[in-house]
Amino acid sequence: MEIWINPRCSKCRTALEFLDSAGAEYTVRRYLDDPPSAAELRTVLGRLDLEPWHITRTGEPIAKELGITKWGKDGEADREKWIAALAKHPELIQRPIITADDGHAVVGRSADALREVVGQPGE
């Protein structure tokens, strides 16, 4: 399993603590230092079953500068524009993203998502 983190993010630190307490084996990717390519983003989006606008941090200063909240969300050209922005500006990517060895992935911002990725039943 791999987890994309920003070490300054409290949700990322919580996710790491959870994975450690669950005894999960994982690798850490500091995605701001090692940004995912557009191809990697497409793969992860497929595993998440989400569109790029679903994992975009629209409140970031660069999002405001780009006017991203006004971008279209219809069709492949729009999708590719969003993916290109995420690849160029990784700070726009929601975090943490955890890709499990079984092929699925989650945005690990909730306890339920974290339990799901390690195969623990919900409460």
Side-chain angles (χ1 to χ4, degrees):
M1 143 174 356
E2 181 176 77
I3 180 170
W4 296 1
I5 68 157
N6 174 346
R8 294 178 296 154
C9 167
S10 64
K11 294 282 188 184
C12 293
R13 291 191 303 271
T14 298
L16 291 171
E17 290 169 8
F18 179 86
L19 294 175
D20 288 341
S21 70
E25 292 184 26
Y26 61 91
T27 57
V28 171
R29 180 172 184 172
R30 293 180 179 210
Y31 71 94
L32 296 176
D33 299 327
D34 181 16
S37 67
E40 287 176 297
L41 287 164
R42 282 185 211 97
T43 298
V44 167
L45 286 164
R47 291 173 75 174
L48 288 166
D49 195 26
L50 295 173
E51 293 296 339
W53 42 87
H54 295 133
I55 66 162
T56 300
R57 297 172 57 83
T58 58
E60 292 293 322
I62 189 66
K64 292 182 189 328
E65 184 179 316
L66 294 170
I68 209 164
T69 60
K70 296 177 182 160
W71 288 7
K73 298 178 182 175
D74 187 37
E76 196 59 29
D78 286 342
R79 186 174 196 273
E80 286 303 312
K81 182 176 181 179
W82 285 80
I83 289 171
L86 293 173
K88 185 174 182 180
H89 305 284
E91 64 272 25
L92 292 173
I93 300 171
Q94 189 57 262
R95 60 192 183 246
I97 292 178
I98 305 168
T99 55
D101 295 336
D102 68 2
H104 82 285
V106 299
V107 178
R109 297 187 63 77
S110 70
D112 286 342
L114 294 172
R115 284 192 295 271
E116 175 188 334
V117 82
V118 296
Q120 293 180 355
E123 293 182 8

